[in-house]
Amino acid sequence: MPNKEQVSSLQIAFMIMLFEIGSTPLFLLGGTAKQDSWLAMCIGSAAGFILLLLLMWIQWRSPGTDLIGMLKLHFGKLPGAFIGGVYSLYFAYQSMRNVRDLGELTAMTMLPRTPMSVTMLVFVLLALYAIWKGAEVVFRLPEVLLPVMLFFYILLVIMLGMMGSIDFGRLSPVLGGGLMPVIEAALPEIVSFPFGQMIVFLMLWSLWEKPGLPVKYTVNAYLLISLFLIFMNALNVAVLGPTISGISQLPFLKTVRTLSNLKFVERLDILVTVQLFVGLLIKMMIFYFCSVKALAELTGKPAKWWVFPVGAIIYGSSFLERDYTQHIAIGLGPSLKLDPLFQVAIPLLLALSIWVRGRLQRSA
């Protein structure tokens, strides 16, 4: 991306929050821990925070450089370029998963008779247009969308409270099955999704308008959104109970549908669906943007050269999975096992290389 493209601290903070929300409230993460799923979220967010500190340290030691530049510098030009190319594919793959989520969610909730190929094409074209316009346009979106999204989430929670639907007694007994089921539910699943996906910000922090790293804004945004996601996980169990929320395909939609007893408002699930569309669209857009940005740096060509080819690959590959069941099975199976390689293993090797290089330079 051109060097003139810069983003503010607030834009980065808002992007972190909206990116982390994504589709996370839609599911009951750590559902195998039943009523302790919120504790699994706590453990996952704490482990994710340690990973975030590692990523921030890497960026702090490599000011003004993104992930691709770091890989080429510390792993060698050719090996670094190869790993950077694999990261570009990984980002495109993650974007494809979000495109498929958008298509399936639309078919299940709002437009059951509209072909998914049409709805997914619309979402890809929206992201394509924003990325074509550049980083400043992409990062301007959360400034508008995040406050609106949080307002409606808060409104829904207040309405659930007024209806008497929330019973936090359903979260007891705490650690009824012991600590190990909670840890097993948190690691690696919740760390990989959504907290480990902060790896994309090694491609984005270098766009900050000031030299260095927006540490305060990044940490505050992460902590705030972690508390929000923990609360939303607990809310699903408090409304539906651990059994129903654990077996529901989309527990948050079922939670909101309990408001149908209200006489003055109907179909609030549409409001939830729109909020999830926004979160998924932003997450898909960021992965798409990082894939394009990586290819632009690897090839030395302008980013606009890669916007259409990458978009076409993302859209085409979103049809590879036969149905939503297979999509979820791959996401919780092979994909989940692959994530730690990109989110933990390679960043650790990169950090080790930076540390060793620094020690050698000081010795010299």
Side-chain angles (χ1 to χ4, degrees), residues 95-143:
S95 182
M96 177 277 289
R97 293 198 60 80
N98 284 280
V99 170
R100 185 60 181 259
D101 284 336
L102 283 163
E104 295 284 358
L105 182 61
T106 306
M108 283 190 287
T109 57
M110 294 182 70
L111 302 171
R113 296 182 181 179
T114 304
M116 281 204 314
S117 58
V118 175
T119 56
M120 290 193 298
L121 179 61
V122 170
F123 290 124
V124 171
L125 290 176
L126 283 172
L128 184 150
Y129 177 74
I131 295 168
W132 179 269
K133 300 297 288 185
E136 293 175 354
V137 172
V138 171
F139 276 82
R140 220 173 281 143
L141 291 172
E143 290 183 296

Side-chain angles (χ1 to χ4, degrees), residues 119-359:
T119 56
M120 290 193 298
L121 179 61
V122 170
F123 290 124
V124 171
L125 290 176
L126 283 172
L128 184 150
Y129 177 74
I131 295 168
W132 179 269
K133 300 297 288 185
E136 293 175 354
V137 172
V138 171
F139 276 82
R140 220 173 281 143
L141 291 172
E143 290 183 296
V144 178
L145 298 175
L146 181 65
V148 175
M149 175 184 283
L150 291 179
F151 169 77
F152 284 116
Y153 272 118
I154 293 170
L155 180 62
L156 289 170
V157 172
I158 291 173
M159 295 175 71
L160 286 166
M162 291 172 59
M163 282 286 297
S165 301
I166 302 175
D167 179 9
F168 286 108
R170 295 189 175 105
L171 300 178
S172 61
V174 177
L175 294 177
L179 183 60
M180 283 309 298
V182 178
I183 295 175
E184 290 171 358
L187 306 174
E189 180 180 341
I190 296 178
V191 178
S192 296
F193 173 80
F195 301 110
Q197 293 178 332
M198 285 293 293
I199 183 68
V200 298
F201 282 87
L202 281 181
M203 295 293 299
L204 303 173
W205 278 320
S206 58
L207 297 172
W208 190 36
E209 61 188 1
K210 299 177 183 178
L213 175 70
V215 175
K216 179 181 176 182
Y217 284 86
T218 298
V219 170
N220 287 342
Y222 182 90
L223 294 178
L224 285 172
I225 212 60
S226 295
L227 291 173
F228 171 78
L229 294 176
I230 291 167
F231 173 77
M232 294 302 295
N233 224 46
L235 180 69
N236 284 325
V237 178
V239 174
L240 301 176
T243 303
I244 296 176
S245 59
I247 63 175
S248 298
Q249 195 174 40
L250 303 172
F252 187 56
L253 279 177
K254 188 178 287 292
T255 294
V256 173
R257 282 170 181 162
T258 63
L259 293 171
S260 60
N261 294 329
L262 294 174
K263 304 300 182 183
F264 64 91
V265 65
E266 293 181 355
R267 297 305 306 272
L268 282 170
D269 54 329
I270 298 297
L271 176 61
V272 177
T273 304
V274 171
Q275 290 174 259
L276 294 170
F277 281 164
V278 172
L280 280 168
L281 180 64
I282 290 296
K283 183 166 264 189
M284 180 269 284
M285 188 182 299
I286 286 298
F287 280 122
Y288 182 179
F289 175 79
C290 289
S291 180
V292 169
K293 190 174 187 293
L295 284 173
E297 183 159 345
L298 287 169
T299 60
K301 302 294 183 182
K304 290 186 176 181
W305 281 41
W306 296 105
V307 174
F308 283 92
V310 172
I313 291 171
I314 290 171
Y315 177 70
S317 60
S318 64
F319 296 97
L320 293 178
E321 294 158 332
R322 291 194 307 272
D323 50 36
Y324 192 57
T325 302
Q326 187 184 51
H327 175 69
I328 294 297
I330 291 174
L332 297 178
S335 181
L336 192 64
K337 293 177 182 178
L338 192 64
D339 284 339
L341 173 64
F342 293 96
Q343 298 173 359
V344 181
I346 295 177
L348 278 174
L349 289 175
L350 185 59
L352 179 63
S353 176
I354 292 172
W355 181 76
V356 170
R357 184 183 289 262
R359 289 292 296 271

